[in-house]
Amino acid sequence: MKIVFFLLLGCFVCTSVVARAADVSRKAFALTIVKGTVARNERVLKVEKGDVVQITVTSDAPGVLHLHGYQLEAKLGAGVAQAVSFTAHATGRYPFEWHGAGQDTKAQAHAKQPLATLEVWPR
Amino acid sequence: MAAIVRSRIAAAIAMCAPAQAWSHAFDDRFDLPAPLSYFIAGAAAVVAVSFLIVASFMRRAPSPSTQYTVHAGPVLGFAYNLARLFGLLVFVITIVAGLAGTADPMMNIAPTIVWIAWWVGLSLFVACAGNVWPAVDPWRTLFDLMNSVVRRLGMRNGMTLGWRYPQTVGTWPAVILLLSIGWFEVVYPQAAVPHTLATVLLVWTAATLTGMVCFGRNIWQRNADVFSVYFATLGRFAPIAPRGDRAILLRPPGSGLIDADVGSVAMVAFIVAMLSTVLFDGLLGGPMWALIQRKLAITAPSLTDSNGYAVGAVGLIGVWLIFLLAYLISCAVTTSLTRGVRFKRVVYAFAYTLVPIAVAYNIAHNASNLVTQGEQLIALASDPLGVKWDLFGTANYRAPIGLIDARITWYIAIGSIVAGHVLSVWLAHRVALREFRAARPAVIASLPLTALMIIYTAISLSVIAEPMVKFETPDAVISE
């Protein structure tokens, strides 16, 4: 009985700990902000730990983009593309917040989701 | 129901981020949901192990659990007094910071002490080590201090009026208070506002000291003092327990839960509330720290009228009642399947065996957060009031994100849930053997409860993996 138990436990551990080669890669994304939101396919930025993340941000209005956790911030002018680049060193799910200049805060309150989410998965 | 409350929280977070506050507003919960493979592995292990335990009990009865007594001598008494001093000091700091410190919950030490260090940290410590609450309990210390002063002044009975505590009321005040704390913590957006927190603590101080004066400290703490009942219940799970004044007892985790039955319906309701409130927290997607985000919502007064209080209360009590009903039904099935043990006896005997599932979920849900957010205390200790002090030179310390890798978090979460389930099933079988004597009726008797435990654990697992389904696969990835 004990053997069966430990076999099961072993299977559980082994299937989860599958060592993978550490191949660091670059991941490029675009965030095109229109009226304080981005297109549906830009809302999740999925990378693996250690990846170099490059984000090209543009907005139709000036404002500030803020990535929680990583504490990154980009000030944007209207229509000017800006590149943000960093290494995804910590796993987790981090929200991007967009703070449009002069934008009514109440309007933001109704935007129930963050602008986008960065998901850093373990390798 | 949960979705409404959740969106309200999200709205609060979205609007309460004025430009200057960003540098501190990083206390969001960054946990990744556990992937499906972990969930399936965990669920499979739960079911397999449950049946293995049942099958092994078909053959033999377990031997009584081993215990060791360690004599600590006068060191224990010294540590006890030191702990009392420490508890009182932390209590005073919390109240002073709450009343006099900044209104920003992230820069004030009070919310982190109460919600992270005390409500999560101490709970897990008590469950995993031993119940130190009677030593650090500031209200107990305050009462004892006042009592000894009054005695010295010549009143022989001290502070106690010696009123009779009403038997019919029993432990119900603690049950109601535990559900209220759950509501305050998970639903009420101002739970992390330092001033609110300090006020609530002061109101409770007045109430609990009055109760101790009226009915006597021990009677009050056994029945109405929710914190004493809560930590005492967790302490039964712990591997270390005090034995007399000068020794401690070492025992297998959980074995303290089968020493006695709960003795009242209110205690059954209390244990189920311990399980349901922590799960409800996860169900809301409102982790411990999201509430500190919510406190930020004070800056958004429009939030106070957008309600959700009632919805949250209904959800909290609803989950509790469903869990309670499910437990009572499984006990009723047990009673009908077997002979010789009455329904009430079954209900009382098995209730404590649910505690490991509650502890396990608490660990799964809060362990990584406790480490990351608890670290903030390093900075807060230097500037407890948030007024730009730097007492120990650590005021600018910022806890690194990703200190615990997501994969480790998943292992801790799934591992503790499976371990808690195994312990619960194991304890239930031991109780069944005690109550039903022979192995065969004991196995039959514990089958309904085992099924119920599998359901509870399945809910725990799905809450850990739940937010996973919310996001679709992105097609914006361009690999170079």
Side-chain angles (χ1 to χ4, degrees):
Chain A
M1 201 58 69
K2 267 184 187 161
I3 293 167
V4 179
F5 174 73
F6 283 117
L7 272 179
L8 276 168
L9 197 75
C11 289
F12 173 61
V13 173
C14 290
T15 49
S16 317
V17 192
V18 180
R20 291 172 60 179
D23 53 324
V24 173
S25 60
R26 288 169 179 280
K27 298 270 173 65
F29 301 90
L31 284 176
T32 311
I33 302 162
V34 180
K35 289 179 184 163
T37 56
V38 296
R40 186 166 278 272
N41 64 353
E42 291 182 348
R43 286 195 189 145
V44 181
L45 285 62
K46 214 169 182 175
V47 302
E48 287 183 329
K49 189 178 174 180
D51 283 349
V52 175
V53 184
Q54 292 180 316
I55 307 169
T56 310
V57 199
T58 47
S59 169
D60 60 341
V64 182
L65 182 73
H66 175 230
L67 175 59
H68 283 236
Y70 279 83
Q71 294 300 327
L72 294 173
E73 217 178 271
K75 287 198 173 68
L76 290 175
V80 185
Q82 192 167 333
V84 179
S85 181
F86 60 94
T87 304
H89 61 85
T91 55
R93 192 153 71 179
Y94 305 91
F96 285 97
E97 301 282 356
W98 171 250
H99 306 275
Q103 199 181 333
D104 187 8
T105 45
K106 274 188 184 162
Q108 285 184 23
H110 294 292
K112 284 164 186 168
Q113 280 180 312
L115 182 79
T117 309
L118 171 73
E119 287 186 2
V120 184
W121 290 80
R123 224 156 242 293
Chain B
M1 193 183 303
I4 296 167
V5 180
R6 193 181 307 177
S7 64
R8 196 173 57 77
I9 295 160
I13 294 165
M15 69 186 297
C16 59
Q20 295 315 313
W22 290 349
S23 50
H24 316 305
F26 74 87
D27 306 271
D28 319 76
R29 208 181 165 98
F30 300 133
D31 288 349
L32 282 165
L36 196 60
S37 58
Y38 285 65
F39 171 78
I40 291 169
V46 159
V47 174
V49 169
S50 302
F51 281 99
L52 279 178
I53 291 175
V54 174
S56 68
F57 270 105
M58 288 287 241
R59 299 197 192 131
R60 61 182 186 276
S63 50
S65 54
T66 7
Q67 298 187 334
Y68 302 97
T69 307
V70 178
H71 294 278
V75 181
L76 215 56
F78 179 71
Y80 177 70
N81 286 326
L82 211 63
R84 299 191 106 182
L85 201 66
F86 176 75
L88 202 57
L89 186 74
V90 171
F91 177 71
V92 171
I93 291 173
T94 308
I95 297 290
V96 170
L99 294 179
T102 174
D104 182 344
M106 240 95 76
M107 301 307 287
N108 191 312
I109 200 169
T112 306
I113 287 181
V114 171
W115 291 118
I116 304 299
W118 184 48
W119 195 235
V120 173
L122 189 64
S123 297
L124 294 187
F125 180 82
V126 166
C128 299
N131 185 13
V132 293
W133 178 243
V136 293
D137 180 351
W139 297 292
R140 187 184 168 119
T141 307
L142 273 177
F143 179 81
D144 287 355
L145 272 177
M146 293 188 328
N147 204 23
S148 68
V149 168
V150 168
R151 260 174 215 229
R152 211 157 281 182
L153 289 176
M155 294 178 67
R156 196 173 290 174
N157 288 334
M159 294 261 294
T160 304
L161 296 175
W163 293 1
R164 253 186 99 90
Y165 187 84
Q167 286 283 314
T168 45
V169 174
T171 320
W172 286 107
V175 179
I176 293 161
L177 284 166
L178 185 65
L179 290 169
S180 309
I181 294 170
W183 181 85
F184 185 57
E185 175 199 340
V186 182
V187 181
Y188 193 60
Q190 296 204 4
V193 177
H195 199 269
T196 312
L197 215 45
T199 311
V200 170
L201 286 176
L202 285 178
V203 169
W204 170 249
T205 304
T208 198
L209 289 180
T210 310
M212 287 177 192
V213 168
C214 292
F215 304 108
R217 194 196 74 192
N218 287 340
I219 300 228
W220 177 258
Q221 291 207 312
R222 262 204 305 273
N223 292 289
D225 180 352
V226 55
F227 303 114
S228 292
V229 179
Y230 176 74
F231 287 118
T233 308
L234 288 177
R236 284 183 169 272
F237 175 86
I240 302 172
R243 172 173 259 181
D245 285 340
R246 296 187 154 218
I248 52 172
L249 196 67
L250 297 180
R251 61 192 182 188
S255 60
L257 292 165
I258 51 172
D259 290 348
D261 66 46
V262 293
S264 73
V265 183
M267 253 332 268
V268 176
F270 189 88
I271 289 160
V272 174
M274 282 173 68
L275 189 66
S276 70
T277 46
V278 72
L279 269 173
F280 185 70
D281 180 17
L283 283 172
L284 269 188
M288 193 55 69
W289 203 258
L291 95 107
I292 302 231
Q293 284 288 332
R294 249 168 291 159
K295 89 322 169 165
L296 275 176
I298 40 150
T299 49
S302 67
L303 187 93
T304 42
D305 39 85
S306 81
N307 42 57
Y309 297 173
V311 178
V314 168
L316 189 79
I317 292 170
V319 172
W320 172 61
L321 284 177
I322 290 167
F323 275 34
L324 192 57
L325 196 67
Y327 175 68
L328 294 178
I329 288 171
S330 87
C331 289
V333 173
T334 294
T335 318
S336 68
L337 285 179
T338 54
R339 248 174 292 166
V341 181
R342 307 237 301 268
F343 174 65
K344 194 172 157 188
R345 176 85 208 126
V346 172
V347 169
Y348 286 5
F350 286 98
Y352 271 136
T353 64
L354 297 177
V355 172
I357 294 179
V359 172
Y361 183 74
N362 209 334
I363 295 173
H365 188 54
N366 291 317
S368 73
N369 229 30
L370 179 66
V371 173
T372 328
Q373 309 302 350
E375 245 190 305
Q376 229 20 64
L377 281 173
I378 295 171
L380 288 165
S382 271
D383 186 12
L385 306 187
V387 290
K388 304 257 186 297
W389 289 353
D390 198 355
L391 299 177
F392 308 110
T394 55
N396 292 315
Y397 179 80
R398 290 285 170 265
I401 50 166
L403 193 69
I404 299 185
D405 192 79
R407 205 182 286 281
I408 295 170
T409 310
W410 296 331
Y411 282 136
I412 294 172
I414 307 289
S416 63
I417 287 176
V418 172
H421 176 84
V422 169
L423 212 49
S424 276
V425 172
W426 168 265
L427 292 177
H429 281 275
R430 291 195 68 130
V431 171
L433 277 166
R434 187 188 71 200
E435 297 294 322
F436 294 88
R437 308 283 157 76
R440 204 178 166 78
V443 167
I444 295 166
S446 47
L447 275 178
L449 199 64
T450 305
L452 179 74
M453 286 170 173
I454 291 177
I455 293 168
Y456 283 161
T457 302
I459 296 170
S460 301
L461 282 171
S462 40
V463 170
I464 293 294
E466 178 229 10
M468 173 168 65
V469 291
K470 255 168 53 180
F471 293 92
E472 58 232 276
T473 325
D475 35 15
V477 182
I478 311 155
S479 292
E480 283 181 343

